[in-house]
Amino acid sequence: MVDDKSVMAVVRAARPSFRNIQDKIAFAVHASFLASGYVLTATGPSAFSDTALSSPSTDEVGMDQWNELDDEYAFVYTNPDTGSKKVLVKCLAMDDKLLVDALADGASEPVHLEISVEDFAGENGGTNYSAQYKNLAELVKKLDTEVLSKLDESSLPSSSNNASSLETSETRSDISTGVPIGGRSSPETHPTGIIYPPINPSGGSDLFPGPGAGMYPTRGAFGAGGSMLVGPNDPRWFGGIAGDPGFPGGLSSVPPGARFDPYGPPGVPGFEPNRFARGPRRPGSGPHPDLQPFGGDSDFI
C-alpha cells in the first residue's frame, strides 16, 4: 500500500519542473505508480502511440517530455511483481478536473478517476516540493483505492471464472456418463454386501438417448413421465393406474396443493370443474383435437 511519504520521496528525487497546477497532480499520479513498484517504460508522445501497450520493450526510461503536450499526459509502466504486465495511464486536464484512466494490458475496461486539481495543488513553492501540494495524503489514498488496487485485482485470476469453468466441467461429466443431473450415478451397496447397479431415474428422455451402461432398465420408454417432450398421447394427459387422475389425489390437470380458480360462478350448475376435464382418448377415436383441422391422414405433426 502506497502512502504520501513515499510519493513525496519520489517527487523530491525526480525534482520535476511544473508549468501549471495540472502538472503537479499529473506528476503525483506518476509518483504514486513508482512508489507502488511500477517501472516507467514510456512517457510523453511515445506513450500516446498505438503500440504503447503492445511494444515488447520493457526498458526503464527517464522523464523527458513527460509534460510536453498541452492538457494531456501519458505514461506506460510495467510491474515486475505482477509478471511485467504493462499498464497505460492517461491524464486529461479539463476545466478544474484531471481525468485519470488506467488500462492494464488484456483488460476489457480502464480504471477511471476524476481529481479536483485545486483541492490538492498548493501555491508555487519553488523547489520546496512539500509546498507544491496540499492534502497529499488524501490524494494518494484516492489513487491507491480507486486506481492502483483495482489494477492489482485485474491482474489476478478471476475466481468467478474458475467456479464457472468447474461447474461446466462437472455438468459435462454428468452428461458424458449418461446420468441425468440429480440422478444417482454410483452403485448402491445393500446391507447384505450385494452391490446393485443404479437405476436410471425417469424424466430425461429429452436430454439422454438411453440409460447408461451398467444400469437397470426402466419400465416403458426411457425417461417417460418427466421430460419436456409432451405429445398428444402422453400418459400425463390421461388417468394413471386404476383410473386415478394424472395428478394423484386431485383433479385432472390440477396439481395437489395448487389454488383452484373456478371456471365460473361457484355453485351454479354446469360450471363444475370436472365438467371441463378432458377424458381419456380411446383407440381409433380420431386425431388429437388440435390436429382435427388437418384431417385424419395429415402428415402434419
Side-chain angles (χ1 to χ4, degrees), residues 262-276:
Y263 299 102
V268 177
F271 287 92
E272 298 84 356
N274 288 335
R275 180 180 179 87
F276 296 90

Side-chain angles (χ1 to χ4, degrees), residues 2 6-8 10-11 26-36 77:
V2 65
S6 59
V7 170
M8 180 53 65
V10 172
V11 175
F27 198 89
V29 173
H30 163 67
S32 297
F33 273 84
L34 292 188
S36 298
Y77 304 95

Side-chain angles (χ1 to χ4, degrees), residues 196-246:
Y196 291 92
I199 299 176
N200 205 95
S202 62
S205 61
D206 54 336
L207 300 176
F208 310 102
M215 292 186 179
Y216 278 134
T218 56
R219 293 183 178 180
F222 170 73
S227 73
M228 68 179 182
L229 303 178
V230 181
N233 296 320
D234 193 282
R236 282 170 286 185
W237 296 119
F238 314 109
I241 300 174
D244 290 338

